[in-house]
mmCIF file of all heavy atoms in Angstrom:
data_model
loop_
_atom_site.group_PDB
_atom_site.id
_atom_site.type_symbol
_atom_site.label_atom_id
_atom_site.label_comp_id
_atom_site.label_asym_id
_atom_site.label_seq_id
_atom_site.Cartn_x
_atom_site.Cartn_y
_atom_site.Cartn_z
ATOM 1 N N VAL A 13 16.410 18.012 18.399
ATOM 2 C CA VAL A 13 16.403 16.680 19.004
ATOM 3 C C VAL A 13 15.401 15.845 18.224
ATOM 4 O O VAL A 13 14.224 16.193 18.122
ATOM 5 C CB VAL A 13 16.009 16.732 20.499
ATOM 6 C CG1 VAL A 13 15.865 15.324 21.065
ATOM 7 C CG2 VAL A 13 17.021 17.540 21.289
ATOM 8 N N TRP A 14 15.871 14.739 17.647
ATOM 9 C CA TRP A 14 15.055 13.849 16.816
ATOM 10 C C TRP A 14 14.520 12.722 17.678
ATOM 11 O O TRP A 14 15.291 11.987 18.276
ATOM 12 C CB TRP A 14 15.938 13.297 15.700
ATOM 13 C CG TRP A 14 15.298 12.305 14.790
ATOM 14 C CD1 TRP A 14 15.346 10.943 14.910
ATOM 15 C CD2 TRP A 14 14.560 12.565 13.609
ATOM 16 N NE1 TRP A 14 14.668 10.352 13.873
ATOM 17 C CE2 TRP A 14 14.177 11.327 13.059
ATOM 18 C CE3 TRP A 14 14.166 13.734 12.960
ATOM 19 C CZ2 TRP A 14 13.433 11.217 11.888
ATOM 20 C CZ3 TRP A 14 13.427 13.621 11.799
ATOM 21 C CH2 TRP A 14 13.069 12.381 11.274
ATOM 22 N N LEU A 15 13.197 12.568 17.743
ATOM 23 C CA LEU A 15 12.564 11.453 18.448
ATOM 24 C C LEU A 15 11.950 10.537 17.397
ATOM 25 O O LEU A 15 11.287 11.013 16.468
ATOM 26 C CB LEU A 15 11.479 11.951 19.400
ATOM 27 C CG LEU A 15 11.915 12.953 20.472
ATOM 28 C CD1 LEU A 15 10.716 13.372 21.306
ATOM 29 C CD2 LEU A 15 13.005 12.382 21.345
ATOM 30 N N ASP A 16 12.161 9.239 17.545
ATOM 31 C CA ASP A 16 11.780 8.306 16.501
ATOM 32 C C ASP A 16 11.251 7.010 17.110
ATOM 33 O O ASP A 16 11.921 6.401 17.943
ATOM 34 C CB ASP A 16 13.014 8.014 15.645
ATOM 35 C CG ASP A 16 12.718 7.318 14.346
ATOM 36 O OD1 ASP A 16 11.664 6.665 14.222
ATOM 37 O OD2 ASP A 16 13.550 7.428 13.439
ATOM 38 N N ALA A 17 10.054 6.584 16.689
ATOM 39 C CA ALA A 17 9.476 5.336 17.190
ATOM 40 C C ALA A 17 10.033 4.114 16.476
ATOM 41 O O ALA A 17 9.779 2.989 16.887
ATOM 42 C CB ALA A 17 7.957 5.362 17.044
ATOM 43 N N GLY A 18 10.795 4.336 15.406
ATOM 44 C CA GLY A 18 11.356 3.228 14.644
ATOM 45 C C GLY A 18 12.570 2.620 15.321
ATOM 46 O O GLY A 18 13.123 3.188 16.266
ATOM 47 N N PRO A 19 12.997 1.467 14.810
ATOM 48 C CA PRO A 19 14.174 0.820 15.377
ATOM 49 C C PRO A 19 15.437 1.625 15.073
ATOM 50 O O PRO A 19 15.440 2.472 14.187
ATOM 51 C CB PRO A 19 14.203 -0.542 14.680
ATOM 52 C CG PRO A 19 13.472 -0.322 13.395
ATOM 53 C CD PRO A 19 12.441 0.740 13.682
ATOM 54 N N SER A 22 16.680 3.149 11.479
ATOM 55 C CA SER A 22 15.613 3.230 10.487
ATOM 56 C C SER A 22 14.336 3.745 11.146
ATOM 57 O O SER A 22 13.977 3.323 12.230
ATOM 58 C CB SER A 22 15.327 1.850 9.884
ATOM 59 O OG SER A 22 14.194 1.927 9.039
ATOM 60 N N SER A 23 13.671 4.663 10.464
ATOM 61 C CA SER A 23 12.405 5.190 10.986
ATOM 62 C C SER A 23 11.214 4.350 10.558
ATOM 63 O O SER A 23 10.117 4.527 11.073
ATOM 64 C CB SER A 23 12.198 6.626 10.487
ATOM 65 O OG SER A 23 13.222 7.456 10.973
ATOM 66 N N TRP A 24 11.400 3.429 9.620
ATOM 67 C CA TRP A 24 10.299 2.657 9.048
ATOM 68 C C TRP A 24 9.856 1.534 9.976
ATOM 69 O O TRP A 24 10.668 0.807 10.506
ATOM 70 C CB TRP A 24 10.729 2.049 7.712
ATOM 71 C CG TRP A 24 11.055 3.090 6.694
ATOM 72 C CD1 TRP A 24 12.308 3.522 6.352
ATOM 73 C CD2 TRP A 24 10.141 3.849 5.918
ATOM 74 N NE1 TRP A 24 12.215 4.496 5.397
ATOM 75 C CE2 TRP A 24 10.897 4.716 5.112
ATOM 76 C CE3 TRP A 24 8.758 3.884 5.828
ATOM 77 C CZ2 TRP A 24 10.310 5.606 4.217
ATOM 78 C CZ3 TRP A 24 8.183 4.766 4.939
ATOM 79 C CH2 TRP A 24 8.948 5.617 4.149
ATOM 80 N N VAL A 25 8.539 1.425 10.132
ATOM 81 C CA VAL A 25 7.927 0.370 10.942
ATOM 82 C C VAL A 25 6.792 -0.235 10.107
ATOM 83 O O VAL A 25 6.024 0.496 9.473
ATOM 84 C CB VAL A 25 7.356 0.942 12.265
ATOM 85 C CG1 VAL A 25 6.633 -0.122 13.053
ATOM 86 C CG2 VAL A 25 8.449 1.594 13.086
ATOM 87 N N LEU A 34 2.715 3.539 18.028
ATOM 88 C CA LEU A 34 4.144 3.265 18.042
ATOM 89 C C LEU A 34 4.746 4.126 19.135
ATOM 90 O O LEU A 34 4.424 5.310 19.230
ATOM 91 C CB LEU A 34 4.773 3.637 16.696
ATOM 92 C CG LEU A 34 4.077 3.122 15.441
ATOM 93 C CD1 LEU A 34 4.670 3.781 14.197
ATOM 94 C CD2 LEU A 34 4.199 1.615 15.364
ATOM 95 N N LYS A 35 5.630 3.550 19.960
ATOM 96 C CA LYS A 35 6.180 4.297 21.099
ATOM 97 C C LYS A 35 7.695 4.207 21.157
ATOM 98 O O LYS A 35 8.279 3.197 20.737
ATOM 99 C CB LYS A 35 5.668 3.716 22.420
ATOM 100 C CG LYS A 35 4.325 4.137 22.850
ATOM 101 C CD LYS A 35 4.067 3.596 24.253
ATOM 102 C CE LYS A 35 2.695 3.944 24.741
ATOM 103 N NZ LYS A 35 2.472 3.465 26.100
ATOM 104 N N HIS A 36 8.271 5.253 21.724
ATOM 105 C CA HIS A 36 9.704 5.246 22.021
ATOM 106 C C HIS A 36 9.929 6.207 23.186
ATOM 107 O O HIS A 36 9.294 7.250 23.268
ATOM 108 C CB HIS A 36 10.542 5.689 20.826
ATOM 109 C CG HIS A 36 11.998 5.736 21.126
ATOM 110 N ND1 HIS A 36 12.764 4.599 21.241
ATOM 111 C CD2 HIS A 36 12.824 6.779 21.373
ATOM 112 C CE1 HIS A 36 14.004 4.945 21.525
ATOM 113 N NE2 HIS A 36 14.070 6.259 21.607
ATOM 114 N N MET A 49 8.065 22.235 18.300
ATOM 115 C CA MET A 49 8.030 20.823 17.966
ATOM 116 C C MET A 49 7.182 20.619 16.727
ATOM 117 O O MET A 49 6.129 21.231 16.564
ATOM 118 C CB MET A 49 7.442 19.985 19.095
ATOM 119 C CG MET A 49 7.602 18.475 18.845
ATOM 120 S SD MET A 49 6.505 17.445 19.828
ATOM 121 C CE MET A 49 5.304 16.965 18.586
ATOM 122 N N GLY A 50 7.662 19.763 15.849
ATOM 123 C CA GLY A 50 6.905 19.315 14.689
ATOM 124 C C GLY A 50 6.924 17.800 14.681
ATOM 125 O O GLY A 50 7.852 17.181 15.216
ATOM 126 N N ALA A 51 5.912 17.170 14.090
ATOM 127 C CA ALA A 51 5.818 15.712 14.091
ATOM 128 C C ALA A 51 5.553 15.211 12.675
ATOM 129 O O ALA A 51 5.172 15.973 11.790
ATOM 130 C CB ALA A 51 4.709 15.246 15.032
ATOM 131 N N HIS A 52 5.739 13.898 12.496
ATOM 132 C CA HIS A 52 5.567 13.277 11.174
ATOM 133 C C HIS A 52 4.969 11.877 11.328
ATOM 134 O O HIS A 52 5.464 11.079 12.121
ATOM 135 C CB HIS A 52 6.921 13.187 10.474
ATOM 136 C CG HIS A 52 6.880 12.479 9.167
ATOM 137 N ND1 HIS A 52 6.447 13.075 8.001
ATOM 138 C CD2 HIS A 52 7.217 11.215 8.831
ATOM 139 C CE1 HIS A 52 6.537 12.208 7.013
ATOM 140 N NE2 HIS A 52 6.993 11.059 7.488
ATOM 141 N N VAL A 53 3.910 11.611 10.571
ATOM 142 C CA VAL A 53 3.328 10.278 10.430
ATOM 143 C C VAL A 53 3.008 10.080 8.949
ATOM 144 O O VAL A 53 3.178 11.001 8.147
ATOM 145 C CB VAL A 53 2.045 10.082 11.277
ATOM 146 C CG1 VAL A 53 2.348 10.096 12.756
ATOM 147 C CG2 VAL A 53 0.987 11.123 10.934
ATOM 148 N N HIS A 54 2.537 8.912 8.585
ATOM 149 C CA HIS A 54 2.111 8.628 7.212
ATOM 150 C C HIS A 54 0.595 8.456 7.191
ATOM 151 O O HIS A 54 -0.059 8.520 8.225
ATOM 152 C CB HIS A 54 2.791 7.352 6.710
ATOM 153 C CG HIS A 54 4.243 7.560 6.399
ATOM 154 N ND1 HIS A 54 4.939 6.732 5.557
ATOM 155 C CD2 HIS A 54 5.137 8.503 6.803
ATOM 156 C CE1 HIS A 54 6.183 7.144 5.454
ATOM 157 N NE2 HIS A 54 6.333 8.210 6.211
ATOM 158 N N HIS A 59 -2.428 11.309 15.190
ATOM 159 C CA HIS A 59 -1.745 12.320 15.990
ATOM 160 C C HIS A 59 -0.483 11.737 16.620
ATOM 161 O O HIS A 59 -0.303 10.525 16.666
ATOM 162 C CB HIS A 59 -2.660 12.917 17.055
ATOM 163 C CG HIS A 59 -3.174 11.960 18.088
ATOM 164 N ND1 HIS A 59 -4.077 10.945 17.809
ATOM 165 C CD2 HIS A 59 -2.906 11.850 19.410
ATOM 166 C CE1 HIS A 59 -4.356 10.280 18.907
ATOM 167 N NE2 HIS A 59 -3.638 10.804 19.899
ATOM 168 N N VAL A 60 0.357 12.644 17.092
ATOM 169 C CA VAL A 60 1.586 12.293 17.798
ATOM 170 C C VAL A 60 1.584 13.058 19.106
ATOM 171 O O VAL A 60 1.287 14.257 19.128
ATOM 172 C CB VAL A 60 2.841 12.666 16.974
ATOM 173 C CG1 VAL A 60 4.108 12.467 17.789
ATOM 174 C CG2 VAL A 60 2.900 11.859 15.688
ATOM 175 N N THR A 61 1.899 12.355 20.189
ATOM 176 C CA THR A 61 2.069 13.041 21.467
ATOM 177 C C THR A 61 3.508 12.878 21.933
ATOM 178 O O THR A 61 4.141 11.852 21.708
ATOM 179 C CB THR A 61 1.127 12.505 22.572
ATOM 180 O OG1 THR A 61 1.388 11.109 22.777
ATOM 181 C CG2 THR A 61 -0.332 12.715 22.217
ATOM 182 N N VAL A 62 3.999 13.923 22.576
ATOM 183 C CA VAL A 62 5.283 13.873 23.270
ATOM 184 C C VAL A 62 4.966 14.266 24.706
ATOM 185 O O VAL A 62 4.401 15.323 24.969
ATOM 186 C CB VAL A 62 6.329 14.813 22.634
ATOM 187 C CG1 VAL A 62 7.579 14.872 23.485
ATOM 188 C CG2 VAL A 62 6.660 14.329 21.224
ATOM 189 N N SER A 74 0.433 16.813 18.373
ATOM 190 C CA SER A 74 0.376 17.236 16.979
ATOM 191 C C SER A 74 -0.669 16.392 16.262
ATOM 192 O O SER A 74 -0.509 15.185 16.112
ATOM 193 C CB SER A 74 1.757 17.051 16.337
ATOM 194 O OG SER A 74 1.708 17.351 14.959
ATOM 195 N N MET A 112 0.404 18.404 9.523
ATOM 196 C CA MET A 112 0.478 18.113 10.957
ATOM 197 C C MET A 112 0.553 19.439 11.717
ATOM 198 O O MET A 112 1.276 20.358 11.300
ATOM 199 C CB MET A 112 1.729 17.296 11.294
ATOM 200 C CG MET A 112 1.784 15.906 10.691
ATOM 201 S SD MET A 112 0.608 14.754 11.412
ATOM 202 C CE MET A 112 1.224 14.571 13.078
ATOM 203 N N ALA A 113 -0.171 19.527 12.829
ATOM 204 C CA ALA A 113 -0.097 20.720 13.668
ATOM 205 C C ALA A 113 1.264 20.777 14.348
ATOM 206 O O ALA A 113 1.893 19.750 14.589
ATOM 207 C CB ALA A 113 -1.207 20.686 14.722
ATOM 208 N N LEU A 135 7.584 9.518 23.170
ATOM 209 C CA LEU A 135 6.941 9.806 21.891
ATOM 210 C C LEU A 135 5.947 8.684 21.627
ATOM 211 O O LEU A 135 6.283 7.508 21.782
ATOM 212 C CB LEU A 135 7.986 9.818 20.774
ATOM 213 C CG LEU A 135 7.441 9.698 19.346
ATOM 214 C CD1 LEU A 135 6.938 11.047 18.867
ATOM 215 C CD2 LEU A 135 8.505 9.163 18.415
ATOM 216 N N GLU A 136 4.716 9.047 21.231
ATOM 217 C CA GLU A 136 3.748 8.037 20.826
ATOM 218 C C GLU A 136 3.021 8.533 19.591
ATOM 219 O O GLU A 136 2.440 9.619 19.592
ATOM 220 C CB GLU A 136 2.757 7.709 21.944
ATOM 221 C CG GLU A 136 1.863 6.535 21.593
ATOM 222 C CD GLU A 136 1.092 5.974 22.792
ATOM 223 O OE1 GLU A 136 1.059 6.624 23.850
ATOM 224 O OE2 GLU A 136 0.524 4.874 22.650
ATOM 225 N N ALA A 137 3.081 7.736 18.521
ATOM 226 C CA ALA A 137 2.408 8.053 17.265
ATOM 227 C C ALA A 137 1.192 7.134 17.142
ATOM 228 O O ALA A 137 1.325 5.910 17.232
ATOM 229 C CB ALA A 137 3.348 7.849 16.088
ATOM 230 N N PHE A 138 0.028 7.713 16.936
ATOM 231 C CA PHE A 138 -1.227 6.973 16.886
ATOM 232 C C PHE A 138 -1.698 6.818 15.439
ATOM 233 O O PHE A 138 -1.667 7.777 14.661
ATOM 234 C CB PHE A 138 -2.306 7.702 17.689
ATOM 235 C CG PHE A 138 -2.006 7.771 19.154
ATOM 236 C CD1 PHE A 138 -1.195 8.770 19.668
ATOM 237 C CD2 PHE A 138 -2.528 6.824 20.018
ATOM 238 C CE1 PHE A 138 -0.909 8.836 21.023
ATOM 239 C CE2 PHE A 138 -2.253 6.881 21.381
ATOM 240 C CZ PHE A 138 -1.435 7.887 21.880
ATOM 241 N N TYR A 139 -2.154 5.614 15.120
ATOM 242 C CA TYR A 139 -2.659 5.295 13.787
ATOM 243 C C TYR A 139 -4.060 4.705 13.895
ATOM 244 O O TYR A 139 -4.385 4.041 14.871
ATOM 245 C CB TYR A 139 -1.729 4.285 13.088
ATOM 246 C CG TYR A 139 -0.537 4.945 12.436
ATOM 247 C CD1 TYR A 139 0.571 5.308 13.170
ATOM 248 C CD2 TYR A 139 -0.552 5.225 11.071
ATOM 249 C CE1 TYR A 139 1.661 5.931 12.571
ATOM 250 C CE2 TYR A 139 0.526 5.843 10.466
ATOM 251 C CZ TYR A 139 1.619 6.195 11.214
ATOM 252 O OH TYR A 139 2.683 6.816 10.615
ATOM 253 N N VAL A 152 5.193 2.626 7.964
ATOM 254 C CA VAL A 152 4.818 3.930 8.505
ATOM 255 C C VAL A 152 5.939 4.460 9.392
ATOM 256 O O VAL A 152 6.926 3.770 9.656
ATOM 257 C CB VAL A 152 3.486 3.845 9.284
ATOM 258 C CG1 VAL A 152 2.336 3.444 8.366
ATOM 259 C CG2 VAL A 152 3.592 2.885 10.455
ATOM 260 N N MET A 153 5.745 5.678 9.877
ATOM 261 C CA MET A 153 6.711 6.318 10.771
ATOM 262 C C MET A 153 5.980 7.011 11.906
ATOM 263 O O MET A 153 4.804 7.307 11.805
ATOM 264 C CB MET A 153 7.521 7.383 10.024
ATOM 265 C CG MET A 153 8.442 6.883 8.987
ATOM 266 S SD MET A 153 9.303 8.299 8.255
ATOM 267 C CE MET A 153 10.400 7.427 7.155
ATOM 268 N N GLY A 154 6.721 7.304 12.944
ATOM 269 C CA GLY A 154 6.260 8.147 14.039
ATOM 270 C C GLY A 154 7.468 8.901 14.544
ATOM 271 O O GLY A 154 8.294 8.337 15.263
ATOM 272 N N THR A 155 7.608 10.154 14.117
ATOM 273 C CA THR A 155 8.777 10.938 14.498
ATOM 274 C C THR A 155 8.366 12.322 14.975
ATOM 275 O O THR A 155 7.257 12.784 14.679
ATOM 276 C CB THR A 155 9.768 11.095 13.327
ATOM 277 O OG1 THR A 155 9.139 11.827 12.272
ATOM 278 C CG2 THR A 155 10.242 9.745 12.810
ATOM 279 N N ALA A 156 9.264 12.958 15.699
ATOM 280 C CA ALA A 156 9.056 14.352 16.109
ATOM 281 C C ALA A 156 10.421 15.015 16.227
ATOM 282 O O ALA A 156 11.425 14.368 16.522
ATOM 283 C CB ALA A 156 8.319 14.424 17.446
ATOM 284 N N PHE A 157 10.432 16.300 15.965
ATOM 285 C CA PHE A 157 11.611 17.139 16.129
ATOM 286 C C PHE A 157 11.325 18.121 17.245
ATOM 287 O O PHE A 157 10.360 18.876 17.171
ATOM 288 C CB PHE A 157 11.861 17.934 14.845
ATOM 289 C CG PHE A 157 13.164 17.642 14.181
ATOM 290 C CD1 PHE A 157 13.196 17.146 12.900
ATOM 291 C CD2 PHE A 157 14.372 17.905 14.829
ATOM 292 C CE1 PHE A 157 14.377 16.901 12.253
ATOM 293 C CE2 PHE A 157 15.574 17.658 14.201
ATOM 294 C CZ PHE A 157 15.589 17.150 12.912
ATOM 295 N N LEU A 158 12.137 18.126 18.271
ATOM 296 C CA LEU A 158 12.056 19.124 19.327
ATOM 297 C C LEU A 158 13.150 20.156 19.075
ATOM 298 O O LEU A 158 14.264 19.791 18.667
ATOM 299 C CB LEU A 158 12.289 18.520 20.710
ATOM 300 C CG LEU A 158 11.343 17.429 21.184
ATOM 301 C CD1 LEU A 158 11.787 16.937 22.572
ATOM 302 C CD2 LEU A 158 9.930 17.926 21.235
#
Side-chain angles (χ1 to χ4, degrees):
V13 174
W14 177 266
L15 302 178
D16 193 338
S22 173
S23 298
W24 297 100
V25 176
L34 311 170
K35 279 187 182 182
H36 178 74
M49 189 198 105
H52 176 80
V53 293
H54 286 202
H59 62 292
V60 173
T61 60
V62 172
S74 175
M112 295 290 293
L135 163 81
E136 187 167 12
F138 295 84
Y139 277 81
V152 297
M153 292 181 176
T155 63
F157 242 120
L158 300 178

